[in-house]
């Protein structure tokens, strides 16, 4: 088998520019980020997964360039001032690992395990990867795809859904693979979170807003992304993340795409890297956190509630102190000193039946002046929180 579909060169990332959708390669999306509006794939959860993968690439490219708080901030502002990814510094870095970015490869396919086999020689069709398509055909009412489109995927579609699978896949029974674990692991890492990120006026700004380089007064620790590490085997690993980069592109599943000709026709997916979700607030920057009601459990991610609009939970974003606010919001508020309107986006899933099915996708956004997030906006933030509290009381009174 010859390596097929090079993600650095082939067009597969769906993006939007001036209302028009197109597909670009991983290298092109970085070189044109300043002129593209946003990533715009099949689902917002897919967009987030690809955004996080791109951030992992940026961290890999920047690793080793700074060691102190001030040098980290100087590095960020130097990149920001250019208004684009000049000198192709990310693409030059990715080129060093070109062999790890073949979607189909006999020894090391991207985000997959070569030679993965199930014990009973069974495989799942491509709907295993597509989040908005129920496995039972009689429940497929309002999905983006139907009919023959569900029998196979293009390589570009399969690449997007593979990344989504690794980030958001539901829990429950997975394929029993030779050398793998029979159970355990829960959802993909993003499925455990309530994702909150900042959207800029273009994709360059979005990436930079979420490119956190310091936490508190310390430069962030950057570990090598998965493509710099040895290829995974079928075995599920009980591991401990050492860096935010470990969480941005995590092999939550051991997977292998199956194909015929120019189409992906099926997938094998089993459990991959797992670890407890508790007390990761110093690593994960895209989720809020709160103290669990379970004794001695510590901090757990604050997930989204589909029945509540984002503005009703502004209290978890505006406070000035505490670990409950997403780290990326603290980064924007306290380090970037932005004084114009930005858009905060919330994305996540509500799972059901032991986290084994997707019930609802949560997607919301809110525009606000970034100064409200900082110490300068503390007085106004408190006024807003008080007004939100009064509004809740009025709504409850009206309901009665």
């Amino acid at each position: 088998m010859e390596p097929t579909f090079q993600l650095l060169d082939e067009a597969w990332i769906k993006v939007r520019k001036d209302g028009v959708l197109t597909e670009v390669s991983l290298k092109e999306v970085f070189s044109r980020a300043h002129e593209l509006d946003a990533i715009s794939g099949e689902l917002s959860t897919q967009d987030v997964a690809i955004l996080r993968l791109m951030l992992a690439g940026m961290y890999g490219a920047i690793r080793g360039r700074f060691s102190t708080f001030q040098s980290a901030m100087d590095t960020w502002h130097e990149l920001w001032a250019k208004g684009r990814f000049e000198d192709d510094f990310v693409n030059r870095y990715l080129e060093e690992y070109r062999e790890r970015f073949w979607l189909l490869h006999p020894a090391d396919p991207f985000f997959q395990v070569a030679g993965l086999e199930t014990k009973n020689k069974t495989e799942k069709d491509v709907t295993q990867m597509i989040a908005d398509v129920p496995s039972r055909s009689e429940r497929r009412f309002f999905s983006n795809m139907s009919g023959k489109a569900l029998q196979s995927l293009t390589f570009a579609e399969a690449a997007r859904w593979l990344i989504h699978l690794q980030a958001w896949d539901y829990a429950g029974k997975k394929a029993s693979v030779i050398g793998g674990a029979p159970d355990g692991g829960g959802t993909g890492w993003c499925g455990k979170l309530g994702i909150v990120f900042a959207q800029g006026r273009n994709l360059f700004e979005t990436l930079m807003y979420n490119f956190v380089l310091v936490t508190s007064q310390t430069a962030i620790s950057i570990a090598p992304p998965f493509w710099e590490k040895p290829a995974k085997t079928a075995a599920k690993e009980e591991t401990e993340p050492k860096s935010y980069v470990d969480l941005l592109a995590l092999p939550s599943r051991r997977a292998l795409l199956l194909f015929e000709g120019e189409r992906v026709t099926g997938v094998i997916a089993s459990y991959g890297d797992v670890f407890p979700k508790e007390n990761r607030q110093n690593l994960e920057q895209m989720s809020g956190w709160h103290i669990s009601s379970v004794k001695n459990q510590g901090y757990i991610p604050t997930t989204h509630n589909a029945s509540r609009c984002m503005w009703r939970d502004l209290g978890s974003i505006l406070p000035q102190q505490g670990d409950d606010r997403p780290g990326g919001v603290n980064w924007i508020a306290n380090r970037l000193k932005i004084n114009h309107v930005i858009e905060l986006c919330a994305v996540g899933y509500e799972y059901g039946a032991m986290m084994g099915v997707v019930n609802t996708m949560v997607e919301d956004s809110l525009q606000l002046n970034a100064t409200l997030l900082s110490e300068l906006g503390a007085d106004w933030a408190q006024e807003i929180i008080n007004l939100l509290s009064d509004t809740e009381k009025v709504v409850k009174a009206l309901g009665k």
Side-chain angles (χ1 to χ4, degrees):
M1 169 189 167
E2 291 293 323
T4 304
F5 204 81
Q6 174 54 249
L7 297 175
L8 298 185
D9 304 326
E10 301 281 357
W12 63 278
I13 301 174
K14 269 191 172 182
V15 293
R16 186 179 71 253
K17 176 178 170 55
D18 299 329
V20 178
L21 295 180
T22 188
E23 292 182 355
V24 296
S25 69
L26 188 54
K27 290 178 67 174
E28 186 179 359
V29 79
F30 278 113
S31 63
R32 295 182 56 202
H34 60 288
E35 61 183 58
L36 298 172
D37 295 336
I39 302 170
S40 190
E42 282 82 349
L43 294 175
S44 294
T45 46
Q46 186 189 93
D47 300 342
V48 167
I50 294 174
L51 177 70
R52 287 170 65 93
L53 180 81
M54 292 180 65
L55 286 169
M58 292 170 63
Y59 282 113
I62 212 77
R63 187 160 54 92
R65 290 199 181 189
F66 56 82
S67 59
T68 65
F69 173 89
Q70 190 57 52
S71 61
M73 293 305 305
D74 290 344
T75 298
W76 189 92
H77 284 289
E78 180 183 343
L79 293 171
W80 175 261
K82 294 177 179 178
R84 59 183 295 174
F85 293 117
E86 281 189 349
D87 306 323
D88 291 330
F89 84 98
V90 181
N91 287 341
R92 289 202 309 272
Y93 159 76
L94 294 175
E95 274 291 341
E96 296 177 25
Y97 300 95
R98 169 172 284 272
E99 283 303 304
R100 301 300 297 275
F101 286 89
W102 289 102
L103 182 66
L104 307 175
H105 192 282
D108 190 10
F110 178 80
F111 238 173
Q112 302 162 73
V113 175
L116 200 65
E117 289 186 86
T118 58
K119 294 179 180 178
N120 56 4
K121 304 298 181 182
T122 60
E123 61 188 60
K124 295 285 188 179
D125 60 32
V126 293
T127 59
Q128 173 81 7
M129 295 194 296
I130 305 173
D132 67 334
V133 176
S135 57
R136 293 171 59 177
S137 59
E138 65 270 18
R139 295 182 178 178
R140 297 172 185 173
F141 300 121
F142 301 107
S143 62
N144 289 325
M145 304 171 68
S146 62
K148 290 184 178 180
L150 295 177
Q151 296 176 8
S152 64
L153 300 173
T154 66
F155 292 155
E157 290 171 332
R160 295 194 295 269
W161 285 118
L162 172 67
I163 293 168
H164 184 278
L165 177 86
Q166 295 285 12
W168 298 96
D169 190 34
Y170 51 79
K173 188 174 179 59
K174 302 297 172 188
S176 179
V177 299
I178 298 173
D183 53 34
T187 70
W189 176 248
C190 286
K192 297 176 170 68
L193 309 175
I195 294 287
V196 175
F197 68 97
Q199 184 91 28
R201 292 169 295 185
N202 55 52
L203 183 53
F204 171 80
E205 288 192 357
T206 298
L207 287 164
M208 291 301 295
Y209 283 160
N210 296 285
F211 192 38
V212 180
L213 293 189
V214 300
T215 57
S216 185
Q217 294 294 325
T218 307
I220 198 168
S221 172
I222 302 177
F226 73 86
W227 51 79
E228 291 192 36
K229 301 175 183 178
K232 296 290 185 180
T233 66
K236 182 181 74 172
E237 295 182 14
E238 301 288 343
T239 184
E240 282 292 321
K242 299 179 176 61
S243 164
Y244 184 30
V245 181
D246 291 330
L247 303 177
L248 284 171
L250 182 76
S252 298
R253 298 290 181 259
R254 297 293 184 261
L256 181 65
L257 299 177
L258 309 172
F259 67 100
E260 295 179 8
E262 298 294 316
R263 308 282 296 187
V264 171
T265 57
V267 62
I268 298 172
S270 186
Y271 290 107
D273 294 353
V274 294
F275 46 83
K277 65 182 179 181
E278 293 80 13
N279 301 310
R280 307 294 177 185
Q281 71 273 16
N282 292 326
L283 293 182
E284 177 57 58
Q285 304 299 313
M286 275 195 189
S287 180
W289 299 79
H290 65 277
I291 293 290
S292 171
S293 58
V294 179
K295 187 177 181 180
N296 299 324
Q297 192 175 33
Y299 279 95
I300 60 173
T302 301
T303 55
H304 300 310
N305 184 340
S307 65
R308 291 178 63 87
C309 295
M310 191 176 182
W311 67 265
R312 295 177 65 186
D313 289 323
L314 252 184
S316 64
I317 296 174
L318 292 179
Q320 307 306 307
Q321 303 294 330
D323 291 323
D324 54 339
R325 193 159 72 162
V329 174
N330 283 330
W331 157 256
I332 291 172
N334 301 322
R335 304 301 167 211
L336 301 190
K337 310 298 183 183
I338 297 169
N339 60 4
H340 57 252
V341 173
I342 63 170
E343 184 174 13
L344 292 181
C345 303
V347 175
Y349 280 132
E350 281 192 353
Y351 299 89
M354 303 296 290
M355 311 296 283
V357 294
V358 174
N359 278 351
T360 307
M361 187 182 81
V362 179
E363 179 184 8
D364 202 355
S365 64
L366 182 71
Q367 291 185 336
L368 75 170
N369 192 296
T371 307
L372 284 174
L373 303 172
S374 69
E375 294 179 2
L376 290 175
D379 291 342
W380 277 106
Q382 189 56 55
E383 288 291 330
I384 291 171
I385 290 171
N386 292 341
L387 286 169
L388 288 173
S389 177
D390 291 344
T391 303
E392 289 279 2
K393 293 174 183 177
V394 170
V395 170
K396 289 178 180 178
L398 180 62
K400 291 180 180 180

